[in-house]
Amino acid sequence: MTQSDRSLQATEWDLLEVLWAAERATAREVADALQARRGWAYSTVKTMLDRMVKKELVDARRVGNVWEYAPAIARDDARRGAWRSFVETVFGGAMTPALHFLANDAKLTKYQRQQLSRLLDPEEPDNV
């Protein structure tokens, strides 16, 4: 199983968002960044980061007397994995119904539908 095939929990997304923005951070820095949103204690953040190291979602290295964490998975890879998991779970792995949902039921604006169309059919003259 590759990193992008793993499902991320909402809490793991929060931690990774901080690490993607910072590139590297201590558990204290991550806890401080998430204080207003989550209100987690430092010990909670440290425990979650250590678990994510075991899942190979985060890398850790000792710098002096603290641990510094960095994302071990790229944001696009995480998104790709989440999309695959979503389509598999919600649409039985069928991409057409998932795209139909996006185009029709997700209340996309006209511009967003045009963008989706361009992505799906890049060979159209209007899409070049």
Side-chain angles (χ1 to χ4, degrees):
M1 180 186 304
T2 65
Q3 289 172 337
S4 63
D5 291 336
R6 295 191 185 116
S7 290
L8 295 176
Q9 303 300 316
T11 54
E12 293 170 335
W13 279 101
D14 287 345
L15 296 165
L16 280 168
E17 287 293 342
V18 171
L19 293 175
W20 285 321
E23 295 183 18
R24 297 192 161 281
T26 65
R28 171 68 58 209
E29 292 166 334
V30 174
D32 289 349
L34 291 172
Q35 183 59 43
R37 179 172 180 192
R38 290 289 194 165
W40 289 327
Y42 161 81
S43 59
T44 301
V45 171
K46 176 80 168 94
T47 297
M48 289 190 298
L49 286 168
D50 290 340
R51 287 182 184 160
M52 290 173 70
V53 169
K54 290 178 184 169
K55 290 175 71 174
E56 298 180 1
L57 297 171
V58 171
D59 292 325
R61 70 178 184 168
R62 191 168 190 92
V63 179
N65 62 350
V66 297
W67 285 92
E68 187 176 74
Y69 299 90
I73 183 171
R75 181 182 272 135
D76 283 346
D77 289 340
R79 287 176 175 163
R80 202 170 289 113
W83 173 251
R84 275 193 222 114
S85 177
F86 173 75
V87 171
E88 186 62 39
T89 301
V90 177
F91 296 99
M95 191 61 67
T96 300
L99 294 174
H100 182 272
F101 173 80
L102 282 178
N104 296 307
D105 298 336
K107 308 289 187 235
L108 297 179
T109 66
K110 182 178 179 178
Y111 175 76
Q112 290 169 327
R113 285 193 310 275
Q114 289 171 344
Q115 292 297 98
L116 179 60
S117 178
R118 285 185 183 111
L119 289 171
L120 294 174
D121 198 0
E123 299 300 319
E124 285 291 315
D126 293 333
N127 298 334
V128 178

